[in-house]
Amino acid sequence: MIRQGAMLLALATLGFAALPSHPVHAQAADLGCTMKFSLTEWSVIFKRAQGKGVITCENGASRNVEISAVGAGATVGKFKIDNGTGKFTHVHTLDDVLGSYVAGQAHMGVVKSGTVQLMTKGKVSLALAGAGEGINLGVDLSKFTIKAAK
């Protein structure tokens, strides 16, 4: 239990360290965008994930997206997340959410698996949460990419 808490604390520290440290200047209002997603992942030191989602903003804009992630760390497992959720901050146009994010992740579970991810891409940040099924344990750093669905 102490080891799990230490892993989550380390992840949170990495996530906050990756956030931009420059002052935020007045810009257009944040669009209040969220994402619903599904994701399948496997890992043995090296991690690979594929998925899809829908991003919706408070102004009514939405976009179907494809999600991929690659990374490495102290990680092993295979799991699937359905009905995951994400919340973006500092989004001023829907295109701001597209691109590659630096992601830190802590995950653990047998049969019922869970994930928490904090990531950043310049001024845009994304927090993901989800639960699913599979076997997984570890902490890793990865590149999480969101692109418009074809």
Side-chain angles (χ1 to χ4, degrees):
M1 199 65 175
I2 293 172
R3 186 176 291 166
Q4 293 169 352
M7 285 193 317
L8 291 174
L9 179 60
L11 174 63
T13 301
L14 287 171
F16 287 119
L19 293 175
S21 60
H22 50 78
V24 177
H25 299 287
Q27 295 185 10
D30 187 272
L31 289 182
C33 299
T34 58
M35 179 170 63
K36 299 284 187 191
F37 69 95
S38 62
L39 187 71
T40 301
E41 179 178 306
W42 65 264
S43 65
V44 177
I45 300 174
F46 178 78
K47 173 180 98 170
R48 182 149 184 94
Q50 296 284 109
K52 60 184 177 177
V54 177
I55 297 172
T56 306
C57 302
E58 291 176 357
N59 69 355
S62 68
R63 176 172 285 159
N64 291 327
V65 294
E66 295 175 358
I67 303 166
S68 63
V70 293
T75 180
V76 64
K78 181 177 180 179
F79 68 94
K80 180 175 181 166
I81 294 174
D82 288 315
N83 301 313
T85 60
K87 179 162 177 51
F88 295 91
T89 58
H90 298 87
V91 174
H92 302 290
T93 71
L94 191 53
D95 288 338
D96 289 349
V97 302
L98 302 177
S100 294
Y101 294 75
V102 175
Q105 178 179 10
H107 46 92
M108 61 185 159
V110 176
V111 181
K112 296 295 182 185
S113 296
T115 185
V116 174
Q117 295 185 38
L118 306 171
M119 54 192 76
T120 187
K121 176 185 76 101
K123 293 180 182 180
V124 178
S125 296
L126 172 60
L128 295 178
E133 295 184 0
I135 299 171
N136 61 329
L137 176 64
V139 175
D140 62 74
L141 293 175
S142 60
K143 179 173 89 170
F144 185 91
T145 303
I146 300 173
K147 64 181 183 177
K150 295 177 183 176

